[in-house]
Amino acid sequence: MTPEEQQEAHKSNLGQLIAELIKENRYDEIAPLLPEFTKLVEPHEERQIIMETSTYLQDLKARIEGKVNDSIIPTGFKDIDDRIFGAVKWNIMTICARTGWGKTTLWLNIALNMLKEHAVGFVSLEMTEEEICDKIVSRIGRVRHSALTINKFQQWEIEWIRSKANEIKFAIEHLMRSYDCYNLETLSETIEEMANRGCEVIFVDWIGMIEAPGNSQPERVRNIMARLKQLAITRNVAIIAMQQLNRQMDGEGRMPRMYDIADWSAIEKISSPVLIMWRDDDYYTNITIYKARRLNADKFMDTQGRIDWMEAVNLKIKDDLGFSWFKDYEIEEKPF
């Protein structure tokens, strides 16, 4: 073998080694190899391996310098984002509540916050176009939801709608929507289409209504969650799914546990984090965050244990569901 052939073989072997290290996410072992590999590559040669590695290293440098990671999309609620950063592309967040406890209002508030800087879509299986648009008008225009239902407005509400007309128009025109994804295949196609249109966050309300393969409801939900996770990873989108709490939570006024979620075992294995909304005895809205990535700047969640003793954060919410509005939080930082 000539020296030139030996060099070419060495270059090929080194390139294959770097490619394998990239697949295994062993980036700390790649950096020492790059100088030698770069010397072997002709200046005019385009090497995808170097491009991919350089992109990662540039991203790592930006993260070390404290710059924003574009894979994290804040919810717009500081006390939630301080604990779970926000929705994460390639990941699933799940919001759980009983009917009428504000689940749809919460995700719509989050969606409208995100829509200011990101492309957002949602799939609704229990609400109509008119109901969603009414909630948008109520949230942005500060109009009583009952006024929109019976079409009887106070003069001040009409003035509010007029003053917020541009924001309302923007939200209704830019929030991507679908209402007919009643089976898993149609849902997958819709998420693919939204991702192709540049969507970064997709809300699914709610997974319990989706038809999917399986001999039992827990198995069907597990298949739905697995598909959503696959789509989140392959299309690099954040998916925020909605699910119901079990009926026995009605009227109990206690903090729900993870096992109070319908088909909870399929949820907690795939979704992280899980936000559970509930009403206390004073009919005050609360959110309990399970499997959060961090509790605060220096305290991380212990994910090794089971949910019976897993630490959580409880947030009390100042809500005004009559206006489809969630405002500031009052925080109770204590383990449950």
Side-chain angles (χ1 to χ4, degrees):
M1 183 179 294
T2 66
E4 290 77 10
E5 291 173 333
Q6 290 178 347
Q7 180 172 309
E8 188 63 33
H10 178 54
K11 180 172 67 175
S12 177
N13 292 335
L14 197 56
Q16 291 177 11
L17 174 60
I18 293 175
E20 290 299 319
L21 292 174
I22 289 175
K23 289 179 182 179
E24 298 174 9
N25 295 323
R26 294 160 59 185
Y27 293 101
D28 56 333
E29 299 178 39
I30 296 174
L33 303 176
L34 285 179
E36 181 181 358
F37 186 60
T38 304
K39 291 178 183 178
L40 297 172
V41 177
E42 294 297 328
H44 65 275
E45 288 185 293
E46 293 183 359
R47 290 289 178 175
Q48 187 63 30
I49 290 175
I50 288 183
M51 291 175 63
E52 290 178 359
T53 308
S54 298
T55 299
Y56 172 81
L57 294 175
Q58 290 171 10
D59 178 65
L60 179 60
K61 181 175 181 292
R63 287 154 62 188
I64 290 173
E65 293 173 352
K67 296 179 180 177
V68 175
N69 186 342
D70 64 4
S71 68
I72 298 174
I73 302 174
T75 66
F77 293 106
K78 183 179 183 300
D79 292 313
I80 291 181
D81 295 332
D82 281 350
R83 285 149 182 82
I84 58 173
F85 306 127
V88 180
K89 292 181 182 179
W90 59 258
N91 202 16
I92 298 178
M93 177 194 299
T94 305
I95 300 174
C96 306
R98 286 296 298 150
T99 300
W101 286 7
K103 179 173 76 273
T104 301
T105 298
L106 178 63
W107 74 249
L108 184 62
N109 275 247
I110 292 174
L112 293 176
N113 288 340
M114 292 176 169
L115 192 63
K116 296 172 183 176
E117 297 184 8
H118 303 276
V120 180
F122 72 85
V123 178
S124 179
L125 303 182
E126 64 172 355
M127 300 192 73
T128 65
E129 168 77 359
E130 182 177 356
E131 288 175 313
I132 291 293
C133 289
D134 277 356
K135 278 188 170 290
I136 292 174
V137 173
S138 177
R139 164 64 177 81
I140 298 176
R142 302 297 289 123
V143 177
R144 292 169 300 139
H145 201 269
S146 58
L148 289 160
T149 302
I150 62 177
N151 297 324
K152 290 185 178 181
F153 305 95
Q154 300 291 334
Q155 185 60 37
W156 62 268
E157 291 173 316
I158 296 173
E159 295 301 323
W160 264 106
I161 292 176
R162 287 173 177 168
S163 68
K164 299 290 184 179
N166 289 336
E167 291 181 45
I168 293 170
K169 183 174 183 292
F170 178 87
I172 290 176
E173 290 182 349
H174 287 81
L175 200 58
M176 302 181 206
R177 306 188 281 281
S178 177
Y179 300 95
D180 58 355
C181 300
Y182 287 96
N183 62 69
L184 186 53
E185 291 308 313
T186 306
L187 175 64
S188 300
E189 292 171 1
T190 299
I191 291 176
E192 293 273 9
E193 180 183 351
M194 287 182 173
N196 288 337
R197 293 169 59 189
C199 203
E200 299 172 88
V201 189
I202 299 173
F203 295 79
V204 180
D205 185 17
W206 50 282
I207 60 176
M209 295 183 69
I210 300 169
E211 298 176 2
N215 297 321
S216 64
Q217 182 63 9
E219 185 179 352
R220 287 189 283 272
V221 171
R222 192 173 299 112
N223 289 333
I224 293 167
M225 293 297 291
R227 178 70 67 83
L228 291 177
K229 180 70 173 183
Q230 179 187 38
L231 288 166
I233 293 172
T234 57
R235 299 315 306 262
N236 194 34
V237 297
I239 293 180
I240 302 179
M242 314 297 139
Q243 178 62 317
Q244 290 275 26
L245 293 178
N246 291 321
R247 291 183 182 275
Q248 60 263 29
M249 288 303 304
D250 288 337
E252 290 197 4
R254 65 173 176 85
M255 186 193 78
R257 307 296 299 193
M258 190 79 79
Y259 46 71
D260 289 309
I261 302 172
D263 310 305
W264 71 274
S265 61
I267 303 293
E268 65 102 12
K269 289 179 181 177
I270 297 177
S271 177
S272 179
V274 176
L275 278 61
I276 301 181
M277 302 181 65
W278 53 286
R279 294 282 192 174
D280 57 27
D281 291 332
D282 297 323
Y283 210 64
Y284 208 86
T285 301
N286 302 264
I287 290 182
T288 301
I289 304 175
Y290 284 102
K291 298 182 72 173
R293 292 171 183 80
R294 66 172 181 175
L295 296 177
N296 51 46
D298 56 6
K299 188 174 182 181
F300 284 79
M301 180 74 72
D302 181 359
T303 58
Q304 299 299 316
R306 299 301 296 169
I307 55 94
D308 285 338
W309 57 274
M310 185 180 293
E311 204 169 18
V313 172
N314 187 40
L315 306 175
K316 282 186 176 293
I317 307 172
K318 295 179 181 177
D319 63 51
D320 195 340
L321 300 184
F323 289 82
S324 300
W325 182 280
F326 280 99
K327 293 175 275 189
D328 297 329
Y329 293 88
E330 296 176 354
I331 308 131
E332 293 182 359
E333 293 223 30
K334 61 182 180 180
F336 292 92

